[in-house]
Amino acid sequence: MPFLEINSVNKVFQDITVVKNFNLHVEQGEFISFLGPSGCGKTTTLRIVAGFEQPSSGTVRLAGADITTQPPNRRNVGMVFQSYALFPNMTVADNVAFGLTLRKKPKDQIQRRVRELLELIHLPDRSQNYPAQLSGGQQQRVALARALAFEPQVLLLDEPLSALDAKIRDELRVEIRRIQQRVGITTIYVTHDQQEAMALSDRVVVMSQGLVEQVGTPFEVYNYPQTSFVAAFVGTLNTLSCAVVDAAQGTLACQGQVFETGAPIAHPAGHALALMLRPEELRYGPGGGQNRLAGEVLDVSFLGATVRVRLKLGGSTLTADLFNERMLVLPRIGETHTFSFPPHACWIMPQQPAN
Amino acid sequence: MTNGRRATFWAWLWGLVGLLYFFVPLYGTLDFSLRAKRGEISLLAYQNVFGDPQFLASFAYSARMALLTILISILLVVPTAYWLHLKLPKLRPVVELITLLPFIIPVIVYVFGLIRTFSRPPFLLTQTEWTTDLLLASAYVVISLPYMYRAVDTGLNTLDVHTLTEAAQSLGASWPAIILRVIVPNLRVAILSGALLTFATVIGELILADFLVRPALGPYMVLMGQSRAYEPAALGLLSFALTWISMGLIQFFSRGGAALHPSGR
């Protein structure tokens, strides 16, 4: 039996359905991310699990018990907020101890637990500081310790790194995963940052307009997107308008060039489709596979580990990511270069109507 | 003279005029209060005031009423303002307007309304001392509402009430625990400001106590003014000093609050 079950949850605000038929089963100790753009319903779903919102229909079950109508303070669910939400009048130690004090735990047990958690978040010497005396990253660590202190059954994190600068965000991301694995707590993490979701999660739930688009491991979601939204939202994606040339052979024509997809296509010749290709699948030169394309270089961005090249292919623009190496001769703007990719690197989807 | 210097000159001049306008009458009152003994400066008027058991009794009564008023105000205003911030933000302008009514309705009109309503059945409150005191304290709560509500409302504006509430809830806090352990401690300075303003208002209040015939400091001061010469001046200054001490305490504790939260959050 799954540890956390979200069954057929819908949430309607006035006339707008913000969560539509949300179903998810989470195993104990799993790290799940809700990923999607603003307004996709991810935070609302998290708040339903926390008990801050009541679903319009559907149920939430935790460890076999129906908690749908239980108030948030009876749920035994820890939460970390984007704005840290530390109590400004309390020291770090008092903040961390708050949940335990409410549960009337013995004083020595509380002190021991607070010490343990401050060690875990690497802030053992800050116990007597007030939140305003800490940096944003430190405050968020304390918020994490506070949410874990009373040993909740589930940990919920609502965009906890959004208010931090890039370097701290990267450090804390690693910390969150380390702490989650060490404690072994079932975790739901809400983010609009796909890298964060990928780096942290056992499974990612990609959402759009209140609907679950796909649930899968980061590898599955990135490499085998099930909808065009997932394909476009997760990672950078090249989309080329194509027409089927030979359905049995699995060949397509795009901007006057013919590509093999490596599998038969279930559409007749002439049918319009979209060919999807990740930038890192394109190789500089003809040696990357039997599909070749020649494009005019529009732009070259040196990013350190990679070099991003934008190419003009007929009326479309393609992005190719090249691995940096010291012997690499960078393509120049205006030059025409050949890039290649193997048939299995691309996939096809129905063509999206133009917006 | 450059423009900047000219502006500074005028700023100083008007500042000085303002100070004189404010302090000259005070100085006059102080000087007068010290001349109770013919031909010499003495504290006789102050000695008389402090030596008068009626002064001490009326001051003690007003102080007790002020504390009762503060207690009722806090119990009424803090949960109401908190709930408005949390659940009914659209109603805030309406409530703000209601809290300003004591500034608009003259106290004399208000006290007649109180007497008419509460000295006849079914709300017969003016028959015994303690029910009259309760009525007086309730009336003080109303006239000090603008100060207490504004202080608490401003304090709540500096807090992220929603998130703090949800954080406390997720940690297992009930509503009373949230208000007592999270909201009130973070409103300490705001509540104290409101309380001191309420104290200053109640201590100097005349009309309500006079018309409800209660032995408060305001009616005592008027009585003294009718029968004595120097003591009312001394009383006036004492009352003024009390208000200033209250203001000073507000400043002191507000700074303390700022020091606790250096980031200004």
Side-chain angles (χ1 to χ4, degrees), chain B residues 82 164-165 168-169 173-185:
Chain B
Y82 167 62
L164 286 180
T165 301
Q169 277 182 311
S174 58
W175 287 114
I178 294 168
I179 292 178
L180 291 176
R181 300 177 72 161
V182 177
I183 300 301
V184 169

Side-chain angles (χ1 to χ4, degrees), chain A residues 47 52 72-73 77-79 81 83-90 95 98-99 101-103 130 132-133 139 146-147 150, chain B residues 159-160 162-175 177-178 181-182 185-186 259-265:
Chain A
R47 290 172 62 78
F52 299 134
N73 59 333
V77 168
M79 181 133 172
F81 299 83
S83 59
Y84 326 133
L86 293 178
F87 306 129
N89 59 308
M90 295 182 200
N95 262 287
F98 189 76
T101 318
L102 288 172
R103 285 164 179 78
Y130 283 91
Q133 295 167 319
Q139 287 191 54
R146 182 180 68 175
F150 62 99
Chain B
L159 295 176
D160 184 355
H162 263 274
T163 319
L164 286 180
T165 301
E166 288 184 351
Q169 277 182 311
S170 74
L171 294 165
S174 58
W175 287 114
I178 294 168
R181 300 177 72 161
V182 177
N186 283 303
L260 187 65
H261 311 303
S263 71
R265 276 159 46 79

Side-chain angles (χ1 to χ4, degrees), chain A residues 68-140:
Chain A
T68 316
T69 55
Q70 228 173 38
N73 59 333
R74 304 246 178 90
R75 288 201 178 192
N76 205 22
V77 168
M79 181 133 172
V80 176
F81 299 83
Q82 184 182 342
S83 59
Y84 326 133
L86 293 178
F87 306 129
N89 59 308
M90 295 182 200
T91 61
V92 164
D94 290 341
N95 262 287
V96 177
F98 189 76
L100 297 165
T101 318
L102 288 172
R103 285 164 179 78
K104 297 191 167 51
K105 298 282 179 198
K107 216 170 175 179
D108 57 333
Q109 194 183 323
I110 294 176
Q111 282 172 350
R112 203 168 47 242
R113 181 78 178 138
V114 169
R115 244 193 334 268
E116 194 180 296
L117 280 157
L118 291 183
E119 296 276 351
L120 187 71
I121 60 164
H122 301 313
L123 289 174
D125 51 347
R126 293 304 197 114
S127 66
Q128 292 313 306
N129 284 134
Y130 283 91
Q133 295 167 319
L134 304 180
S135 69
Q138 289 172 329
Q139 287 191 54
Q140 200 56 297

Side-chain angles (χ1 to χ4, degrees), chain B residues 1-78:
Chain B
M1 203 186 280
T2 64
N3 277 348
R5 278 194 186 170
R6 193 177 296 147
T8 313
F9 169 77
W10 284 108
W12 276 103
L13 182 75
W14 285 116
L16 192 69
V17 170
L19 280 175
L20 287 174
Y21 179 80
F22 188 74
F23 278 107
V24 167
L26 272 183
Y27 173 75
T29 312
L30 176 70
D31 186 62
F32 186 68
S33 73
L34 297 174
R35 294 186 187 277
K37 257 187 200 166
R38 188 179 290 266
E40 63 177 278
I41 299 288
S42 75
L43 293 171
L44 183 64
Y46 293 89
Q47 282 165 353
N48 288 343
V49 166
F50 284 112
D52 183 356
Q54 219 187 328
F55 164 75
L56 294 175
S58 62
F59 182 79
Y61 176 83
S62 282
R64 274 202 311 276
M65 294 307 288
L67 291 178
L68 184 62
T69 306
I70 288 166
L71 185 71
I72 299 172
S73 294
I74 291 172
L75 290 176
L76 183 75
V77 171
V78 174

Side-chain angles (χ1 to χ4, degrees), chain A residues 275-298:
Chain A
L275 181 127
M276 313 292 204
L277 185 65
R278 296 281 185 204
E280 66 272 19
E281 299 281 7
L282 277 165
R283 293 282 180 275
Y284 187 24
Q290 55 263 58
N291 289 324
R292 279 157 208 175
L293 57 91
E296 183 192 337
V297 177
L298 293 175

Side-chain angles (χ1 to χ4, degrees), chain A residues 75-274:
Chain A
R75 288 201 178 192
N76 205 22
V77 168
M79 181 133 172
V80 176
F81 299 83
Q82 184 182 342
S83 59
Y84 326 133
L86 293 178
F87 306 129
N89 59 308
M90 295 182 200
T91 61
V92 164
D94 290 341
N95 262 287
V96 177
F98 189 76
L100 297 165
T101 318
L102 288 172
R103 285 164 179 78
K104 297 191 167 51
K105 298 282 179 198
K107 216 170 175 179
D108 57 333
Q109 194 183 323
I110 294 176
Q111 282 172 350
R112 203 168 47 242
R113 181 78 178 138
V114 169
R115 244 193 334 268
E116 194 180 296
L117 280 157
L118 291 183
E119 296 276 351
L120 187 71
I121 60 164
H122 301 313
L123 289 174
D125 51 347
R126 293 304 197 114
S127 66
Q128 292 313 306
N129 284 134
Y130 283 91
Q133 295 167 319
L134 304 180
S135 69
Q138 289 172 329
Q139 287 191 54
Q140 200 56 297
R141 282 166 199 252
V142 175
L144 183 62
R146 182 180 68 175
L148 290 170
F150 62 99
E151 294 176 344
Q153 289 171 294
V154 177
L155 177 66
L156 308 175
L157 300 108
D158 186 8
E159 308 218 21
L161 307 181
S162 302
L164 302 170
D165 61 51
K167 191 168 178 292
I168 306 288
R169 202 160 56 219
D170 289 350
E171 283 171 17
L172 206 51
R173 191 165 74 189
V174 176
E175 279 290 282
I176 287 174
R177 185 56 165 157
R178 177 185 70 82
I179 290 167
Q180 187 269 338
Q181 283 178 329
R182 173 116 174 249
V183 178
I185 188 166
T186 311
T187 302
I188 299 180
Y189 187 100
V190 162
T191 182
H192 62 264
D193 182 329
Q194 33 156 318
Q195 276 192 337
E196 232 168 75
M198 297 280 173
L200 286 165
S201 319
D202 294 317
R203 281 190 298 156
V204 179
V205 178
V206 187
M207 294 179 72
S208 167
Q209 296 180 339
L211 281 169
V212 172
E213 293 273 337
Q214 187 172 350
V215 182
T217 63
F219 185 86
E220 287 166 352
V221 167
Y222 188 82
N223 289 316
Y224 301 98
Q226 286 170 0
T227 66
S228 50
F229 173 81
V230 177
F233 187 74
V234 180
T236 309
L237 188 70
N238 292 307
T239 307
L240 290 170
S241 299
C242 298
V244 179
V245 174
D246 187 331
Q249 294 289 315
T251 52
L252 295 159
C254 304
Q255 309 290 343
Q257 306 192 30
V258 176
F259 301 122
E260 291 176 24
T261 61
I265 301 168
H267 295 284
H271 188 87
L273 288 171

